[in-house]
Amino acid sequence: MAYYNSSIPTTGGPNDPQPPQLSPEQWAHAYRQFQYQLNPQLPTPPPPPHLPLPGPVIDPALQPSQDTSTDQRLDALEREVELLRAEKRTNPETPAGPSKKRRKKQQKPSLYILRHSTGLSKEQNRVRGQLMKKVKTEGMRLTGRTTEPDSEADDESDSPTTRTPHPVMSYNFAATVEDPINVKIFNRIADLIWTEQHDPKSATFSLAHADVLFTREDLVEFAKTNFRSWKTKWRGKNDPEVAQRQAKAAQKDRQDLRKKELKANRIKAVPEYKKKFKHDPICVLETDWMSDEISGPDTDDEDTKADHRRRLVKAARLGPLQQNDDVWEVVRPGFQSLEMSQTKDDLDKIVKEQRDNKPKRVRGRVTRISFGNTHDRLPAGTIYPFMLSQSWYDEHIEGNEELENEMKMYTKDPKGFGDS
DNA sequence: AACGCTAGCAGGAATGAATG
DNA sequence: CATTCATTCCTGCTAGCGTT
C-alpha cells in the first residue's frame, strides 16, 4: 500500500499487510472437517469425549456427487492434514505409541469450529454470523431483554412494559461468565439452537449452508461473548467510575474517527496533487498525524469548557439560530514541520476545490476553527526527516533520553520532499 | 486455556440538503 | 414528496493484551 513500507523497516504500521497464517486451532479445524468429509454419517462433530476414529475410511469417490469446488476444497484439506501429520511426526513430544492418548490430546482444540472468524471460509463466516444472531435473539427472548436496555436494574416492580410473559431468566451481570445462573442460561440457549440447527434434515433447520459444521461449544461461546458485551453496558450504567471511563473511550474513538475521515478526504485529493506538484504526498497521510478536531478541551473544569465554547462560537460567527451547532477546534500536531503542514494545506485546498465544483448536495459541514494551537504528542510510527520541526524537537525532545529513543525517524526523505 | 477488558474497525443509522 | 448523496456518529464484533 504505502510505498515507504516496502523499502524501509518500520515498526509495523497499522496498514502492513499480513501474510495469512494458520493457527493451531485452524489446523485442528481443518483436520476435523476433513474427517467429517470422509465420514459424513457422523452427523455432527461430536463433543469431545467420544470421537470414533476415522476408522474404515470411505473412498471420497463413492460419496454422493460433489461439485468441483468441494472437491478442490477436499484436496486442499487433504494437503493440510498431510502437513499436520508431518508436523506431528517431527514433534518429539508425541512419540508414536498406543494411540489412544495421543488422539485425546489432538481432539481437545477442536472443541470449537466457528469460534474464531479468522481463517474461515465465506460459507463458514456466513453461517457463523447466522448462528451468532440466533444466539443473541434467543438470549434476548430468554432473559426478557429488548433492544432497549431497560433502565432500572434493581427495581423489580417496573413500569407496565408488556413483555413476553415467558418464564424469564435473568443474567447475573454482577458475576462472571462462570456464575451458575449464567452458565445455565448459556446452556439453555445453546441447547435450543443446537436442537434446531444441527441437523440439516430437520424441519427447523434454517442455515445458509448445510455442510458447514459447528459444535455446541461454539454456541455456548457465542452466548458468553454476548453476555460479556451486555455486561459491559450494564456496568456502564451501574458504576459511575466505569461510566466515566467509557465516556472517555467513546470520545477518543470519535476523535480517531474524525482523523480517519480527514485522512480519507485528503487521499481523494492525491491524484490532483500529483499532477500539480509532481510528487506523491501519500507519505504524509498517516491517521495519527492528522490534526485533532476537538469539541472542547480535555478537562473537567466547567468554566474552562464554557469559555472555550464561547470563543469557538464567536470565531465561527454563528447566527442566532445556530448557537447550538457543533464547532470544532483544529489542533495541529506540534511536531510537524512547515513543509509537512504546507503539504496538508495544499491537499486541503484541492479537497475544497473539488467540493465546490460538485453540485451542492450535502448537508452543511461542521465549522472548523483554528486558534493556532498545537498538541505535543509524539508522532506514532516512523516519520521522515522533512516532517520534523527542529524547534519543536529542541524544545520537547532534545536531552530527554527516553523521548529521544521513542522518536523514530527514517534516514532518507521520500522523493520530492526535504532535500531530495 | 479461559477470562475480562479495550482499541479499532466495519457497517449502517441518522441527518440534512439538493434534486427530480 | 421521495430520492439521492455526503457527512457524522453509533453499535456491535473482533483481535489482542495482560491476568488468572
Side-chain angles (χ1 to χ4, degrees), chain A residues 47 111 118 175 266 285 341 404:
Chain A
L111 253 177
T118 29
R266 286 168 171 168
L285 297 180
S341 58
E404 278 176 11

Side-chain angles (χ1 to χ4, degrees), chain A residues 138-151:
Chain A
E138 194 54 43
M140 296 210 305
R141 198 186 63 77
L142 213 57
T143 61
R145 281 202 145 224
T146 55
T147 23
E148 273 311 301
D150 26 20
S151 38

Side-chain angles (χ1 to χ4, degrees), chain A residues 312-327:
Chain A
L312 280 180
V313 170
K314 191 174 171 210
R317 304 169 184 280
L318 294 185
L321 291 176
Q322 303 152 349
Q323 289 295 305
N324 291 321
D325 284 10
D326 272 346
V327 184

Side-chain angles (χ1 to χ4, degrees), chain A residues 102-168:
Chain A
R102 204 184 65 186
R103 247 164 230 138
K104 257 192 187 152
K105 261 203 172 147
Q106 211 174 36
Q107 281 156 26
K108 217 173 186 180
S110 55
L111 253 177
Y112 308 103
I113 296 179
L114 299 182
R115 179 178 183 190
H116 297 294
S117 74
T118 29
L120 297 186
S121 71
K122 236 170 116 191
E123 292 78 15
Q124 285 177 313
N125 261 314
R126 175 88 199 284
V127 169
R128 184 172 185 269
Q130 288 184 311
L131 285 171
M132 289 199 291
K133 206 165 170 185
K134 283 177 192 301
V135 166
K136 183 179 172 183
T137 310
E138 194 54 43
M140 296 210 305
R141 198 186 63 77
L142 213 57
T143 61
R145 281 202 145 224
T146 55
T147 23
E148 273 311 301
D150 26 20
S151 38
E152 255 40 25
D154 40 359
D155 196 41
E156 304 289 281
S157 57
D158 54 6
S159 51
T161 20
T162 33
R163 221 162 264 150
T164 30
H166 263 282
V168 166

Side-chain angles (χ1 to χ4, degrees), chain A residues 26-289:
Chain A
Q26 286 155 11
W27 282 113
H29 152 241
Y31 175 70
R32 182 136 196 196
Q33 195 157 65
F34 178 57
Q35 282 187 332
Y36 177 78
Q37 298 273 8
L38 292 181
N39 189 1
Q41 271 95 330
L42 270 177
T44 60
H50 58 289
L51 205 177
L53 276 215
V57 169
I58 296 177
D59 182 349
L62 293 180
Q63 293 197 25
S65 68
Q66 286 171 323
D67 56 26
T68 36
S69 76
T70 312
D71 281 338
Q72 280 166 4
R73 247 173 64 216
L74 203 107
D75 283 346
L77 286 169
E78 243 173 301
R79 258 173 277 130
E80 284 176 2
V81 170
E82 208 25 61
L83 265 169
L84 232 192
R85 288 187 178 135
E87 209 172 56
K88 212 159 182 4
R89 260 179 254 126
T90 54
N91 184 352
E93 270 183 32
T94 44
S99 41
K100 262 196 185 145
K101 252 219 165 124
R102 204 184 65 186
R103 247 164 230 138
K104 257 192 187 152
K105 261 203 172 147
Q106 211 174 36
Q107 281 156 26
K108 217 173 186 180
S110 55
L111 253 177
Y112 308 103
I113 296 179
L114 299 182
R115 179 178 183 190
H116 297 294
S117 74
T118 29
L120 297 186
S121 71
K122 236 170 116 191
E123 292 78 15
Q124 285 177 313
N125 261 314
R126 175 88 199 284
V127 169
R128 184 172 185 269
Q130 288 184 311
L131 285 171
M132 289 199 291
K133 206 165 170 185
K134 283 177 192 301
V135 166
K136 183 179 172 183
T137 310
E138 194 54 43
M140 296 210 305
R141 198 186 63 77
L142 213 57
T143 61
R145 281 202 145 224
T146 55
T147 23
E148 273 311 301
D150 26 20
S151 38
E152 255 40 25
D154 40 359
D155 196 41
E156 304 289 281
S157 57
D158 54 6
S159 51
T161 20
T162 33
R163 221 162 264 150
T164 30
H166 263 282
V168 166
M169 310 171 81
S170 286
Y171 274 132
N172 180 5
F173 286 124
T176 72
V177 102
E178 280 157 302
D179 177 88
I181 298 179
N182 296 335
V183 170
K184 210 175 187 172
I185 302 180
F186 299 147
N187 282 320
R188 182 90 171 262
I189 295 171
D191 283 339
L192 268 156
I193 296 179
W194 178 255
T195 313
E196 227 174 73
Q197 307 295 341
H198 85 108
D199 179 10
K201 286 183 217 93
S202 92
T204 48
F205 184 84
S206 62
L207 298 174
H209 303 281
D211 58 339
V212 170
L213 298 176
F214 60 96
T215 65
R216 209 193 74 101
E217 297 304 320
D218 283 327
L219 300 177
V220 171
E221 212 46 42
F222 294 156
K224 284 189 198 169
T225 302
N226 233 190
F227 166 86
R228 290 189 185 111
S229 133
W230 287 352
K231 180 180 170 180
T232 307
K233 234 186 217 167
W234 176 87
R235 292 226 298 149
K237 282 203 312 256
N238 291 275
D239 183 340
E241 207 175 305
V242 174
Q244 202 181 0
R245 224 172 38 221
Q246 288 178 357
K248 211 161 189 182
Q251 198 189 329
K252 186 181 176 304
D253 207 39
R254 225 172 303 133
Q255 215 91 146
D256 289 348
L257 216 57
R258 290 175 189 169
K259 279 211 207 19
K260 251 177 67 182
E261 276 152 12
L262 196 50
K263 171 182 166 182
N265 284 334
R266 286 168 171 168
I267 282 180
K268 283 187 217 143
V270 164
E272 188 60 31
Y273 181 101
K274 277 199 206 159
K275 248 189 248 164
K276 240 174 162 168
F277 295 89
K278 309 292 177 208
H279 59 253
D280 195 343
I282 194 80
C283 56
V284 144
L285 297 180
E286 195 63 40
T287 309
D288 178 74
W289 308 339

